[in-house]
Amino acid sequence: QQQVKQSPQSLIVQKGGISIINCAYENTAFDYFPWYQQFPGKGPALLIAIRPDVSEKKEGRFTISFNKSAKQFSLHIMDSQPGDSATYFCAARGPSYGKLTFGQGTILTVHP
Amino acid sequence: SQTIHQWPATLVQPVGSPLSLECTVEGTSNPNLYWYRQAAGRGLQLLFYSVGIGQISSEVPQNLSASRPQDRQFILSSKKLLLSDSGFYLCALSRAGTGNTIYFGEGSWLTVV
């Protein structure tokens, strides 16, 4: 199973609020779980990533929570800002040549 | 650090015309290279990946082909474009080996009319 399921498709948050995006996977061979941020017309940029032997990773306002038994992981954006408005993709890397399987993306809008 | 150059940045081509999108990378040797397509501003689909010169693997059957004539050059081609080939094409790289982060270029917008 190579799918990564991401939800919600879109999210609207007020400035200062918490944005939460969830992803679920099936393939237990995935070994690395990055999140990418994409602004319109630009390529995706790596935001934060986690390995399955860690339950949580925090970088500034961004936190990944990882639940290996449930095969789920999520991105939390604390104190969301209008500049965080973008499309966010979760991904899972297979053991073969670093190929990434992406979720379908979440369009985040942070209102001022 | 590595950089990825893609060109052209935007392209409008008629149905049935050929296509060549070029990607060159700097700052790393023998990278793994990838072509992704993003349709309608959403999900990313892996089209091709390459672990070395002349080594191309295709992920999905389609109207496109890829080539890697040099270590740091990756080309996406088509002999005859279809309307369904329109999209945002992203070149990406990861360092040699299987355990490294994937970085994306700025993309090429293709509109087939």
Side-chain angles (χ1 to χ4, degrees), chain A residues 9-10 31-32 36 38 41-44 46 51 87 89 93-107, chain B residues 32 34 36 38 41-46 49 51 57 59 88 90 94 97-107 109:
Chain A
Q9 289 188 340
S10 61
D31 63 356
Y32 177 70
Y36 287 83
Q38 185 180 29
K42 301 293 185 181
L46 179 66
R51 298 189 186 277
T87 301
F89 292 95
R93 188 180 66 191
S96 175
Y97 304 115
K99 290 191 294 181
L100 286 177
T101 299
F102 282 87
Q104 284 302 103
T106 296
I107 300 173
Chain B
N32 298 325
Y34 310 83
Y36 281 85
Q38 187 174 30
R42 296 304 296 273
L44 292 136
Q45 180 186 33
L46 178 62
Y49 68 92
V51 299
S57 295
E59 286 294 296
F88 191 41
L90 291 153
S94 62
T98 61
N100 295 299
T101 301
I102 291 180
Y103 298 94
F104 287 86
E106 288 299 292
W109 281 101

Side-chain angles (χ1 to χ4, degrees), chain A:
Chain A
Q1 296 285 346
Q2 290 296 103
Q3 281 189 326
V4 176
K5 297 181 179 179
Q6 183 173 346
S7 63
Q9 289 188 340
S10 61
L11 180 62
I12 299 175
V13 174
Q14 292 297 121
K15 178 182 176 181
I18 302 173
S19 304
I20 302 174
I21 304 170
N22 301 297
C23 286
Y25 64 98
E26 291 293 329
N27 190 344
T28 56
F30 289 143
D31 63 356
Y32 177 70
F33 300 87
W35 284 89
Y36 287 83
Q37 179 188 56
Q38 185 180 29
F39 293 105
K42 301 293 185 181
L46 179 66
L47 186 62
I48 187 172
I50 197 168
R51 298 189 186 277
D53 55 347
V54 177
S55 62
E56 185 176 282
K57 183 174 181 180
K58 183 176 180 180
E59 292 184 0
R61 295 185 294 111
F62 301 91
T63 300
I64 299 179
S65 297
F66 189 86
N67 186 330
K68 188 174 181 178
S69 61
K71 291 185 282 188
Q72 295 175 348
F73 58 110
S74 60
L75 175 69
H76 294 232
I77 305 175
M78 310 299 289
D79 188 26
S80 298
Q81 300 296 312
D84 297 331
S85 297
T87 301
Y88 292 81
F89 292 95
C90 63
R93 188 180 66 191
S96 175
Y97 304 115
K99 290 191 294 181
L100 286 177
T101 299
F102 282 87
Q104 284 302 103
T106 296
I107 300 173
L108 172 65
T109 303
V110 181
H111 285 314

Side-chain angles (χ1 to χ4, degrees), chain B residues 8-99:
Chain B
T10 59
L11 191 62
V12 179
Q13 290 285 97
V15 169
S17 64
L19 171 73
S20 180
L21 297 179
E22 189 161 343
C23 171
T24 58
V25 304
E26 297 176 353
T28 184
S29 296
N30 194 30
N32 298 325
L33 296 175
Y34 310 83
W35 278 112
Y36 281 85
R37 177 170 59 199
Q38 187 174 30
R42 296 304 296 273
L44 292 136
Q45 180 186 33
L46 178 62
L47 302 176
F48 302 95
Y49 68 92
S50 171
V51 299
I53 296 173
Q55 300 179 62
I56 308 295
S57 295
S58 174
E59 286 294 296
V60 293
Q62 59 203 313
N63 185 43
L64 302 169
S65 62
S67 62
R68 186 170 177 175
Q70 301 180 43
D71 181 49
R72 300 175 190 181
Q73 185 183 31
F74 204 24
I75 298 171
L76 185 70
S77 304
S78 174
K79 292 183 179 178
K80 290 184 178 182
L81 284 168
L82 306 172
L83 286 174
S84 58
D85 292 324
S86 294
F88 191 41
Y89 288 85
L90 291 153
C91 180
L93 72 81
S94 62
R95 288 186 289 129
T98 61

